[in-house]
Amino acid sequence: MNKLSALRALSLGVLAFCSAGSGLSFAAETGSESSASGATTTYFPPSNAPSAPQTTSALPEPDKSASPATTPTEPAPSTAAVTPPDTAPATETATPPSTATATPSAETPASSPSPTESATAPASAGSAQPEAQPSTPPAAAAAAPETLVSPVVEAARRKLAEKSLVGKDNLAPDVAAAADYYYTHKEPLWINDGSYNEKARSVISDLKKADDWGLESSDFVIPNLASNADADAQGAAEAQLTLSALKYARFARGGRLDPIALSNILDMKPPVKDPKVVMRELAEASHPGPFLRGLNPHHEGFEKLRQELLKARGATVEEEPTDPAEQVKLPRGKLLRLGVRDDQVALLRQRLKVPSESPDSNDLYDDALVDAVKDYQRANGLNPDGLVGNGVRNALNGGGKSKRIDPSRNVDRLIANMERWRWLPENLGSFYVMNNIPEFVSEIWKGKERVLSQKMIVGQPAWPTPVLAANMQYVIFHPSWGMPDGIKAKELAPRLRQASSSGFDFFDQLFGGGGGNSGGARVIEAYKLQVYYNGRPVDPNSVNWNTADISRYSFTQPPGPDNPLGLVKFRFPNRHDVYMHDTPERGLFGQTNRALSHGCMRVGEPRRTAEVILQEDKGYSPEKVGELWNSGADVTLSKPVPVYLVYFTARVNEEGRLETFGDIYGNDNRVMSALRGHPERYTAPEAIDPTEADQPGAISDAGSNAMTDDAPPVTRKGRNNKKTASKKNPMTPATTLQDALSSIFLN
């Protein structure tokens, strides 16, 4: 029994000793930490901590719930750290890690020991050295270093700040857009490591091909960048290439010239893109060259002309096929005039391609042949009198020879027409009207389908139809016509005074009645004009037109078959007060040259025009439009229809053939002169001053008379000349009638 007790006591003693050794080992592992200086920091227990027992006698059964760190143990060797208590003293500044190797936290690096640790840590040359830690404070280390502005960008900024940079070649908005970009960016856009980058090469490639798009490549400066260029030279090249790209963007959208500054009848505002937007999109584009090229018009008409331009600049001279009609020759003979029968009339029909109405009239010089002769005379600079003498025969016989085609002769014409395409908006609309003035044709388009094409009468060269874009808002059936102040003062008043003059009673003789004031009244009655004074009807016979202030009177022609506007008017408000309308003079559409009006456009198929527009806008059937046609009504469109009055003297037809038309107003030469840097301002006469109109939308077009369609309008200069001539020669009824009819009512 004693032996058994002794063995049990020995086992417990050994177990206690082993436990004490384990505690000392754990304390040694967790109680020391190496400092940055290599010294070992020892954590001492507080003074009230229990001392370890100094005996190896039997120990009581340990509490299984107690932590090993708090288990009393035997005294440790002097080099071993004592296990700290669960609660560290307040004087300690660091908590010992659970491993022998200290891991510094992000907030408190191990390289910054506390003063207590430094003061109490003995030197230990044999301690392992930890990795060196950064000495930068954590907040500073987290902040990204500020990016410096590239010297190239700084040089570009200085270049763009030069006042001399703004001028004819570089407009102020372009320079401002470039400057804004470089003052908000620190790296160059086009230059990397002293040379042009891929984006720059893309832009330069398209600048060099500007001629293929109807522009001039010489207008865009491409700076030379030497391989050893310094920062200033690189910055200057960076700025210049940016300005050249912005200039191309402006020119591609029609910004080479301001149409309205060139002429009052070129009333268009090209859709030039904001240079700041262009600058941003240039910087964002991975391939800025194609981006610039894409700013040119996408209209099919523009692209077809561009292809013709490429052919014209690269094609060889070809033989033009001979027209068989030009092989017909007219021998010398007697004067041919209306109503004459002659064998040469049959030859004349073959030459001008005018078939006769019947075999019996093949040798009769009829109205259709007279019109064809007049058209030929106008087109060839001859007096359009409709007479065929030997001079006209010589001109007609001059054809029939094979001609050599030089494609380059059309280059300027093509460029001028491409430029006018740039004035139109990018999107013409899903449904629109396009009236081509030189072609005398009005078209209605729905998408890419041409719904209606019809003949059109436009303004005479002295009273041209303006180029503009507006929105059609009204279709007016059975319109009345109110004479605008401009026509009253410039046209009607002088005629009324002349007719009312006691020294000249031609109008009384023509229309009947006595002298006195009735002459002026007869003029008014002849055209079924109604006269109003302060809104009240006035008997024109009661007015002395020699002394009356005509501006205080209103003149209106009611609806009817004699109304010069016909049965319908299509109104698209604009500052020129021009519009489209019907006309009672239907025979004028048979003429080849239909520049006959004073600005407004008469359409050949007015009822069909109304049907197409009102079917699209209101869903009206042709029968419904027929009711309006017969009864009269004012229809306000639910959705405005874009109307484009354009001036294209060249276009490619559906067969791919280039068609050209007469430059009736001389606009091609004006545009080309301006594009070459020599703009000449041209102010065309306006039928009325819109600011003087009696009512909104007062019209400037008032019918025509077949007797005077071939006579040029009486301009202010012409009237002065005619007045001077009247002092030398007495007026005759024929000249007075022609003058009065051509002047009072504008075509």
Side-chain angles (χ1 to χ4, degrees):
M1 186 69 182
N2 290 336
K3 289 183 178 180
L4 182 60
S5 300
L7 287 173
R8 183 179 297 171
L10 179 61
S11 298
L12 290 174
V14 171
L15 179 62
F17 182 80
C18 291
S19 298
S22 299
L24 291 174
S25 176
F26 179 79
E29 290 180 3
T30 61
S32 65
E33 179 181 315
S34 297
S35 69
S37 61
T40 300
T41 302
T42 303
Y43 294 93
F44 293 93
S47 57
N48 58 352
S51 300
Q54 301 293 322
T55 178
T56 60
S57 60
L59 298 176
E61 189 75 27
D63 186 357
K64 296 181 180 180
S65 64
S67 171
T70 60
T71 304
T73 59
E74 289 186 4
S78 60
T79 58
V82 179
T83 303
D86 290 340
T87 303
T91 57
E92 292 183 3
T93 59
T95 302
S98 59
T99 59
T101 303
T103 303
S105 67
E107 291 79 7
T108 308
S111 56
S112 301
S114 67
T116 304
E117 295 174 50
S118 300
T120 59
S124 176
S127 300
Q129 298 292 332
E131 288 186 14
Q133 301 297 325
S135 60
T136 306
E146 182 179 358
T147 304
L148 298 178
V149 178
S150 165
V152 176
V153 172
E154 290 180 338
R157 292 176 180 178
R158 291 193 297 271
K159 184 66 177 178
L160 293 168
E162 296 178 4
K163 294 183 178 180
S164 60
L165 196 62
V166 177
K168 180 181 178 181
D169 292 330
N170 303 305
L171 297 188
D174 288 353
V175 176
D180 286 349
Y181 175 82
Y182 285 105
Y183 273 96
T184 55
H185 291 76
K186 298 179 180 181
E187 293 296 328
L189 182 59
W190 313 117
I191 297 175
N192 290 343
D193 299 328
S195 61
Y196 284 132
N197 57 24
E198 186 60 33
K199 296 181 72 169
R201 289 190 289 271
S202 175
V203 167
I204 291 171
S205 175
D206 273 276
L207 293 181
K208 290 180 176 180
K209 298 175 183 176
D211 299 84
D212 293 348
W213 295 85
L215 303 175
E216 296 286 341
S217 58
S218 58
D219 286 336
F220 311 110
V221 177
I222 300 176
N224 182 35
L225 185 60
S227 58
N228 59 346
D230 58 16
D232 285 343
Q234 293 181 43
E238 175 83 15
Q240 181 58 65
L241 187 56
T242 297
L243 292 176
S244 293
L246 291 174
K247 187 177 184 180
Y248 184 103
R250 175 162 44 89
F251 280 17
R253 289 295 186 89
R256 278 201 280 185
L257 55 85
D258 182 4
I260 195 65
L262 190 60
S263 176
N264 60 316
I265 62 169
L266 302 178
D267 196 359
M268 296 291 289
K269 185 177 181 181
V272 176
K273 204 166 186 177
D274 185 342
K276 291 186 178 180
V277 174
V278 175
M279 190 70 241
R280 183 184 70 248
E281 293 175 346
L282 266 176
E284 293 173 352
S286 57
H287 300 285
F291 162 75
L292 286 177
R293 189 193 323 144
L295 294 177
N296 288 287
H298 294 179
H299 304 304
E300 184 179 355
F302 176 88
E303 179 58 25
K304 287 183 175 180
L305 290 178
R306 191 179 82 86
Q307 294 300 324
E308 288 295 324
L309 178 65
L310 295 176
K311 289 193 294 184
R313 283 176 165 161
T316 58
V317 177
E318 300 176 356
E319 293 288 333
E320 183 178 14
T322 303
D323 186 347
E326 294 183 354
Q327 301 291 337
V328 177
K329 306 299 180 183
L330 278 72
R332 297 176 67 85
K334 67 179 183 180
L335 183 68
L336 302 180
R337 64 173 70 241
L338 181 64
V340 168
R341 283 187 178 272
D342 191 278
D343 291 340
Q344 284 199 26
V345 173
L347 294 176
L348 185 61
R349 289 186 181 279
Q350 295 179 41
R351 175 65 180 83
L352 297 179
K353 303 178 183 178
V354 181
S356 61
E357 294 183 358
S358 67
D360 294 339
S361 61
N362 197 42
D363 62 346
L364 175 63
Y365 195 3
D366 57 14
D367 289 331
L369 196 52
V370 169
D371 289 340
V373 169
K374 287 181 179 180
D375 290 340
Y376 177 84
Q377 289 171 324
R378 289 191 192 95
N380 290 272
L382 303 174
N383 180 31
D385 56 10
L387 303 177
V388 179
N390 289 329
V392 175
R393 286 184 175 92
N394 291 336
L396 289 167
N397 294 338
K401 298 178 181 179
S402 180
K403 301 176 182 177
R404 292 177 65 80
I405 302 175
D406 182 5
S408 63
R409 70 182 179 180
N410 284 324
V411 167
D412 283 358
R413 184 194 295 263
L414 292 168
I415 291 175
N417 281 274
M418 291 172 68
E419 190 67 21
R420 285 188 285 262
W421 271 108
R422 302 182 197 276
W423 301 350
L424 293 172
E426 292 181 81
N427 184 4
L428 297 176
S430 59
F431 182 82
Y432 61 90
V433 178
M434 181 171 284
N435 297 338
N436 189 16
I437 298 167
E439 191 179 2
F440 312 123
V441 169
S442 173
E443 298 177 339
I444 299 180
W445 288 81
K446 185 173 183 178
K448 293 187 177 182
E449 178 188 1
R450 182 168 49 198
V451 181
L452 177 64
S453 179
Q454 60 186 323
K455 292 182 178 180
M456 177 178 67
I457 293 172
V458 302
Q460 302 174 51
W463 298 92
T465 299
V467 176
L468 58 82
N471 287 321
M472 184 184 297
Q473 300 178 27
Y474 312 101
V475 178
I476 303 169
F477 294 94
H478 292 208
S480 60
W481 180 74
M483 183 177 289
D485 284 351
I487 296 178
K488 287 190 298 184
K490 299 174 184 178
E491 306 290 354
L492 182 59
R495 304 308 164 200
L496 291 177
R497 286 194 292 269
Q498 287 179 343
S500 300
S501 172
S502 59
F504 178 65
D505 61 351
F506 166 72
F507 283 97
D508 288 319
Q509 298 172 17
L510 178 65
F511 297 114
N517 297 330
S518 61
R522 295 301 181 185
V523 173
I524 293 170
E525 292 171 1
Y527 287 96
K528 299 180 174 61
L529 293 174
Q530 298 173 346
V531 184
Y532 297 85
Y533 183 83
N534 290 335
R536 293 177 297 177
V538 173
D539 180 1
N541 284 296
S542 66
V543 181
N544 184 346
W545 297 109
N546 279 314
T547 59
D549 181 2
I550 199 171
S551 66
R552 305 187 67 177
Y553 292 84
S554 300
F555 300 85
T556 302
Q557 187 174 28
D562 296 324
N563 188 293
L565 303 182
L567 294 177
V568 67
K569 176 173 73 171
F570 306 92
R571 186 170 164 232
F572 39 96
N574 57 86
R575 72 185 191 92
H576 301 272
D577 284 323
V578 295
Y579 50 87
M580 299 159 59
H581 65 89
D582 182 21
T583 177
E585 300 292 343
R586 308 303 303 170
L588 299 179
F589 292 102
Q591 298 190 23
T592 303
N593 187 326
R594 295 188 289 276
L596 306 171
S597 81
H598 271 51
C600 283
M601 293 137 286
R602 291 180 247 169
V603 292
E605 301 181 42
R607 179 164 175 169
R608 178 59 183 153
T609 302
E611 290 175 353
V612 171
I613 292 174
L614 293 180
Q615 196 283 327
E616 177 69 20
D617 185 76
K618 303 289 187 184
Y620 287 174
S621 65
E623 292 75 19
K624 174 65 175 178
V625 174
E627 294 176 5
L628 301 175
W629 183 270
N630 294 327
S631 62
D634 293 356
V635 180
T636 300
L637 300 180
S638 303
K639 183 179 180 181
V641 176
V643 177
Y644 304 103
L645 308 187
V646 297
Y647 193 92
F648 294 134
T649 59
R651 75 177 184 92
V652 179
N653 61 22
E654 288 77 3
E655 292 75 32
R657 182 170 57 88
L658 178 66
E659 294 182 330
T660 59
F661 313 103
D663 184 12
I664 56 177
Y665 301 158
N667 285 339
D668 281 355
N669 290 335
R670 294 188 187 100
V671 169
M672 286 308 302
S673 179
L675 292 180
R676 292 187 173 118
H678 306 288
E680 295 182 6
R681 171 72 182 176
Y682 167 67
T683 302
E686 302 254 14
I688 77 165
D689 181 355
T691 63
E692 299 175 355
D694 285 336
Q695 55 191 356
I699 62 176
S700 61
D701 208 354
S704 66
N705 190 285
M707 296 177 63
T708 60
D709 281 325
D710 298 317
V714 181
T715 62
R716 187 169 298 172
K717 181 178 179 181
R719 288 198 295 271
N720 291 339
N721 291 342
K722 193 173 289 291
K723 188 178 295 184
T724 302
S726 67
K727 296 179 180 179
K728 298 179 181 179
N729 302 307
M731 294 178 111
T732 65
T735 57
T736 305
L737 176 64
Q738 184 176 15
D739 187 50
L741 296 182
S742 65
S743 298
I744 292 179
F745 288 100
L746 303 179
N747 293 314

